[in-house]
Structures are given as C-alpha cells and as structure tokens.
Amino acid sequence: MTKAAVAQETAEADPAGRSVAPNASVVTVGDLVREVAASLVAAGVALPALEARLIVGHGLRLDPARVFAYPERPVAAAPVGAVCDLAARRGHGEPLAYILGEREFWSLPIRVTPDVLIPRPETELIVETALALHGAEDGSPRILDIGSGSGCILLALLSELPAARGVGVDVSEAALRVARDNAHRLALAPRCDFVCCDWGSAVAGTFDLVVANPPYIDDAGFASLTPEIRAFEPTTALRGGPDGLDAFRAVGRDLRRLLGTGGCAVVEVGFGQARRVEILFAEAGLRTIRVSRDLAGHERCLTLAAI
Ligand SMILES: C[S@@+](CC[C@H](N)C(=O)[O-])C[C@H]1O[C@@H](n2cnc3c(N)ncnc32)[C@H](O)[C@@H]1O
C-alpha cells in the first residue's frame, strides 16, 4: 500500500473531532510518535515524548523498545486510528496507566482498571519495610493486606517470600476481580485469597504481617487533587473522611485482634499524618516501633506491634 493510499484509508476511517488527525505524513511509527507527542504537548501532558512512545507501542502492539528502534516502520490505517483514540483519551486527562492497562510495581507488571487505585511508587516502602521484618528464610508467614485494591502490595510480598501465604480484603468486588486476575497472571494465585469485606471485619484468625495502604486524603486535599486523579481514580480508594483518618480509626478496631504473637503491621500514612495515626493506633492497643520515610523524606510508613 502506498503512503497516499494509507492516508486516504485512514482519513475515511477516522471520524472528525479527534485531537490527533491522521494525515498523509502519519504513515510510519516515527511519524505517529511525533503526531501523538505534539497532541500531548498541546494537552499539557508532562512527559509527552515518553508517553507518546508508550501509547504508540500499546496501540500498535509493539514493544516500546521497537517503537524507538524502528521509527521507519510503516503503519497500516486501522492501527493508526486505534492509536489516535488512545492519544485522545490521554489528552482528555485519563491516566496513562488506565490507557495501557498496566503499571509496574516492585518490578511486577500489575494490571489496572479504573476500579483500582494506580499503584504508587511510595507504596513500595510498605513492601521494603515488611521485607526487612520477614526475610525469605523466615518460615511461612501469614500476610493480610487490608484494602488490597489491585493486590499490588500482597502480590509483591508473595513474590519475594516463596513460603508465605496471604489474604487481601477490599470493600470493592470490582477491585477484588482485578486483584485475583493479577494473582493468576503472576502465578501467585495458589498462595492467596481475596475476600470482600469492610476492613478486617470478616477476617478470622491471626497474621504474622498485616499491611495496609488505606484511603487517607482529607476533604480539603481531595478538592485540590489534580483532575487526573480526582476524576478518574476510585473515590473509595482516595477519601479518608473530613480529616483523612476515618480508615485508620476503622482499621485500628480490627488490627489488635488480627496480629498474632510477635506479629507486626506496616501501614502507609499521608503527608503530615504520622503523629495523629500513631495516637489513634496507641488508643487501639498498638505501639509504633518504626516510622519509615519515603524518598522525599516524608514520614510515610508506620510499623506497629501489640502493646
Ligand atoms: C489507597 S487504596 C490502596 C490500594 C492498594 N493496596 C495500593 O496500595 O495500591 C485503598 C483501598 O481500600 C479499599 N477500601 C475502601 N474502603 C474500604 C472498606 N470499608 N473496607 C475494605 N477496603 C476498603 C479501596 O477500595 C481501595 O482499594
């Protein structure tokens, strides 16, 4: 097919109104990357060149490294239309992870949909802190992940601790479906269960390790979130009530009962919340044995044990 023919076919297949309009020049991978990058610049996306390569790779089902290595590769009309649709979604503010359907967490590919929070790099601190408590040689710890979302924390821990088993709980059935799918994809499903319940209310027994990244954004913080987060990520994964601490109060009610002898909990907190969460957990019979800071130097994780 000639360049002109591809352009003709593309133009006919493409409804008006897309932010990237295929034209006669968009016939190679490199041209498409440039067109998408230009549309992302216009939309104010922070890393347009990088995101354009990822979007083009996803739309063309090409590894991003091949997008980079073979810019002269010709592209047929139908995939051009698919890439334009993806670029338009990004231009309208949808997070890249939802468009690609995946986000890396602890070097694992975690599938994400709009039903789950996109795993954040700072949450890897929970995994790092928990692994400092339980090494791979430490028997077969039982792990509970409260508010498991995509399952990223529990699955990262199971990937590092081959004898560990775990349970993830979440109030969202849709999120649990994503977590179960991730467990299957990562071949970790035989060692975990995902259960729908309100915090730890329906969980019986005790655990060696409890991890939680609860929703902790207060009302003022929610109002000032970027539209990319506020309009696209699930509200139940973000909002922690007027002062941001509702979920910690609720988790605190279950945590003491769920910790086995010698067990520890590792809980993520929001910016400036560490002291107040420590006090809440102390009232629930838990002492803070460590406060860990994230890469920005903010107090981000509390490690807790029974008083
Ligand atoms: C901040 S997200 C964390 C998700 C995941 N653990 C992560 O770190 O990416 C909080 C999670 O808590 C869940 N959640 C909210 N309210 C809950 C409740 N009452 N009981 C259990 N889970 C709840 C949300 O659905 C969401 O998946």
Side-chain angles (χ1 to χ4, degrees):
M1 188 180 281
T2 64
K3 283 188 177 189
V6 171
Q8 178 63 30
E9 186 178 329
T10 304
E12 282 169 2
D14 187 41
R18 287 182 171 131
S19 57
V20 182
N23 57 48
S25 67
V26 183
V27 289
T28 69
V29 168
D31 291 336
L32 200 46
V33 169
R34 276 188 293 278
E35 288 278 339
V36 171
S39 78
L40 298 185
V41 169
V45 171
L47 298 169
L50 173 68
E51 293 204 8
R53 277 203 293 276
L54 294 170
I55 287 172
V56 170
H58 186 67
L60 300 183
R61 296 173 200 277
L62 266 185
D63 187 287
R66 296 181 81 80
V67 172
F68 191 68
Y70 302 106
E72 73 286 0
R73 189 177 165 140
V75 183
V80 169
V83 169
C84 293
D85 287 341
L86 298 177
R89 284 167 60 188
R90 186 67 187 114
H92 287 119
E94 185 171 342
L96 182 68
Y98 290 149
I99 293 169
L100 303 181
E102 193 174 289
R103 171 55 52 91
E104 187 179 288
F105 181 83
W106 200 256
S107 298
L108 299 173
I110 300 294
R111 190 171 82 84
V112 293
T113 73
D115 292 316
V116 298
L117 188 87
I118 299 165
R120 304 297 203 266
E122 59 266 29
T123 300
E124 293 187 348
L125 187 58
I126 295 189
V127 180
E128 196 181 316
T129 307
L131 289 176
L133 296 166
H134 288 275
E137 65 289 348
D138 271 8
S140 45
R142 273 176 53 76
I143 304 171
L144 173 66
D145 181 357
I146 300 181
S148 50
S150 63
C152 60
I153 302 172
L154 178 59
L155 297 173
L157 287 168
L158 294 181
S159 75
E160 295 284 351
L161 302 170
R165 303 185 70 83
V167 179
V169 299
D170 205 290
V171 75
S172 161
E173 269 293 0
L176 290 164
R177 278 194 290 278
V178 176
R180 289 186 195 108
D181 185 38
N182 277 319
H184 282 288
R185 286 164 185 259
L186 296 169
L188 295 166
R191 290 195 282 129
C192 58
D193 285 314
F194 287 95
V195 176
C196 191
C197 67
D198 187 26
W199 305 124
S201 59
V203 182
T206 58
F207 294 82
D208 303 300
L209 177 61
V210 178
V211 289
N213 174 21
Y216 51 62
I217 298 174
D218 63 23
D219 284 352
F222 185 76
S224 62
L225 285 176
T226 62
E228 186 169 330
I229 299 175
R230 204 176 53 234
F232 289 94
E233 298 202 65
T235 308
T236 43
L238 297 169
R239 301 193 80 156
D243 66 356
L245 303 180
D246 283 0
F248 296 107
R249 292 186 187 93
V251 170
R253 284 194 281 276
D254 295 320
L255 206 44
R256 181 71 187 77
R257 166 179 65 81
L258 293 167
L259 280 182
T261 310
C264 284
V266 183
V267 178
E268 181 170 318
V269 297
F271 178 74
Q273 290 179 335
R275 290 287 90 73
R276 284 177 293 154
V277 175
E278 269 191 69
I279 293 167
L280 282 178
F281 281 142
E283 288 165 358
L286 297 150
R287 69 194 157 94
T288 303
I289 55 178
R290 186 174 167 190
V291 181
S292 309
R293 291 177 185 269
D294 62 20
L295 291 175
H298 301 136
E299 293 180 329
R300 182 61 66 186
C301 257
L302 302 183
T303 303
L304 305 143
I307 288 174

